[in-house]
Amino acid sequence: MSESSSSRRALVVGAGIGGLTAALALSRTGWRVTVLERAPELGEVGAGISIWPRAWRILGDLGVADRLADGVRPAIQAGLRRPDGRWLAKVGPGAADRIPVMVHRARLHEALVDALVARDGVEVRTGVKVGGLADLDTLPGEPADLVVAADGIRSTIRHELHQRDDVRYAGYTAYRGVTAEPVPGEASTTGGETWGSGLRFGWAPLVDGRTYWFVSANRPAGEVGGDHHADVTALVGDWHDPIPQLLAATPPSAVIRGDISDLRLPLKRFDHGRVVLLGDAAHATTPNLGQGACAAIEDAAVLAAQLDGHARIADALVAYDRIRRPATQRLVRASRLVGALGQVENGALLKARDAGLAGLGAVAGLLSR
């Protein structure tokens, strides 16, 4: 451990999954941590997320995985199909050791909060809006030795540091939902994806037997309003089973929609003096590889380890940047490519895509990533 970590103070801006994991990891190495959240109370919206093995091990080391033991299940993937149900390819048994667990986002967030508030030397302040780094200097208490900017894809701190608009619309929106009750058969035992023309549907079972699902559709940015459940039904309601059954079992109020964006690349660095970018603030990615939350969790573990292993904070942040920036930018690029492939709607390209996936069995690489 660095010589004076127990006397050091960190400010974590943002109480999402990345910010809370960072706060927890830092507190476990002796840091005094204050988490600042702009929302009036802690909470998380969304549906299911996949936690891959490396991130799951980190959550285990932090004492969080045990709190989720009754709230996860393997995100078993059956494979990739066309809308009429014909298989493009199936995931083989060799992918079994690389599958993630499926967690409801709100449940993971709750487990992180529970683990964090149980620790001494940690304070969580809600209703605090941070418009820039200068706002942090006006907070009561001694100055922070470290500022962790985990304030999301539209990070005000990242914008201040880089002075550019880094957010890029991917060209498609996503609808997400969770069934109100279990849907018998395939929907509650395996998951999968179906790729159409400019449309994708995917689903995965949750531990209680309900099923999380998503639809991605090519749309102009910024569309709002409307009946999301009706939109989804019009888009994919006539696709193969169990898709109609999943939609029928989902209350309209349980369907949410949000445009999909990532960050333009490359950011030149994640470290800026005593400030470091983490999670979506550093490398927001499209959800096509199901690793956005995992990347934030891994950021937090690497950051805490580097700070614990270096006497100087600046050296630790440089090391963190050297480790995490190349890895996460590869993830952003790879996820962007998968999304572009999945959202193809040009007729000739669509046929070439489907033929290539079927011929090469590429689904094993795409869905067991």
Side-chain angles (χ1 to χ4, degrees):
M1 180 182 295
S2 54
E3 293 181 1
S4 57
S5 62
S6 62
S7 66
R8 290 175 173 176
R9 180 183 180 222
L11 287 177
V12 177
V13 182
I17 289 170
L20 292 178
T21 307
L24 182 58
L26 289 171
S27 73
R28 289 170 66 93
T29 57
W31 283 74
R32 291 175 296 125
V33 183
T34 300
V35 180
L36 306 175
E37 170 55 42
R38 67 182 303 164
E41 58 185 30
L42 295 179
E44 185 68 278
V45 297
I49 58 173
S50 53
I51 306 295
W52 292 82
R54 284 197 303 271
W56 186 252
R57 286 192 292 272
I58 293 168
L59 293 177
D61 292 341
L62 294 175
V64 175
D66 289 344
R67 298 171 184 265
L68 293 167
D70 63 345
V72 303
R73 71 180 298 164
I76 300 169
Q77 293 287 353
L80 184 61
R81 283 181 261 195
R82 296 183 176 95
D84 62 6
R86 288 181 295 166
W87 289 98
L88 288 169
K90 294 184 178 182
V91 173
D97 62 345
R98 301 191 302 276
I99 61 175
V101 293
M102 200 70 194
V103 184
H104 198 288
R105 179 177 288 272
R107 181 68 187 90
L108 173 58
H109 191 269
E110 178 185 1
L112 286 166
V113 170
D114 290 346
L116 189 63
V117 299
R119 297 196 59 80
D120 293 331
V122 176
E123 179 185 8
V124 180
R125 302 180 191 174
T126 57
V128 180
K129 183 178 179 180
V130 177
L133 292 171
D135 292 347
L136 302 179
D137 295 330
T138 66
L139 296 173
E142 61 197 83
D145 301 286
L146 171 70
V147 175
V148 180
D151 51 342
I153 185 172
R154 288 175 172 79
S155 167
T156 57
I157 294 177
R158 183 191 67 245
H159 188 270
E160 178 179 341
L161 295 172
H162 288 273
Q163 290 296 308
R164 69 183 197 188
D165 181 10
D166 289 309
V167 180
R168 182 199 74 101
Y169 178 52
Y172 47 95
T173 194
Y175 301 83
R176 298 179 174 93
V178 176
T179 62
E181 66 277 329
V183 175
E186 180 183 6
S188 61
T189 57
T190 63
E193 290 192 21
T194 300
W195 287 11
S197 175
L199 284 170
R200 286 178 289 162
F201 186 97
W203 78 93
L206 299 175
V207 68
D208 59 7
R210 297 182 303 158
T211 302
Y212 157 70
W213 56 261
F214 73 87
V215 172
S216 59
N218 293 347
R219 289 288 187 274
E223 288 186 347
V224 295
D227 183 333
H228 300 332
H229 191 279
D231 290 346
V232 169
T233 301
L235 289 170
V236 299
D238 61 350
W239 286 16
H240 66 80
D241 293 340
I243 294 173
Q245 292 84 356
L246 290 172
L247 300 183
T250 304
S253 61
V255 182
I256 60 176
R257 175 183 174 179
D259 285 349
I260 300 300
S261 300
D262 60 13
L263 292 187
R264 293 183 174 89
L265 297 174
L267 288 183
K268 292 184 178 179
R269 58 193 304 174
F270 290 173
D271 65 306
H272 301 262
R274 64 171 182 151
V275 183
V276 65
L277 301 174
L278 182 143
D280 283 353
H283 49 71
T285 180
T286 55
N288 300 297
L289 298 179
Q291 295 198 35
C294 295
I297 291 168
E298 292 179 38
D299 286 351
V302 171
L303 177 62
Q306 295 307 312
L307 286 164
D308 197 40
H310 288 80
R312 296 180 65 250
I313 292 174
D315 293 339
L317 299 189
V318 168
Y320 163 82
D321 173 74
R322 187 179 300 120
I323 295 168
R324 293 305 295 159
R325 185 160 48 88
T328 55
Q329 290 184 350
R330 285 193 298 270
L331 174 64
V332 172
R333 291 188 180 95
S335 185
R336 186 179 294 173
L337 287 172
V338 172
L341 187 64
Q343 297 301 135
V344 165
E345 56 184 339
N346 173 279
L349 292 177
L350 193 64
K351 290 181 180 179
R353 179 198 73 182
D354 290 356
L357 289 172
L360 299 175
V363 69
L366 294 176
L367 297 184
S368 62
R369 46 194 176 266

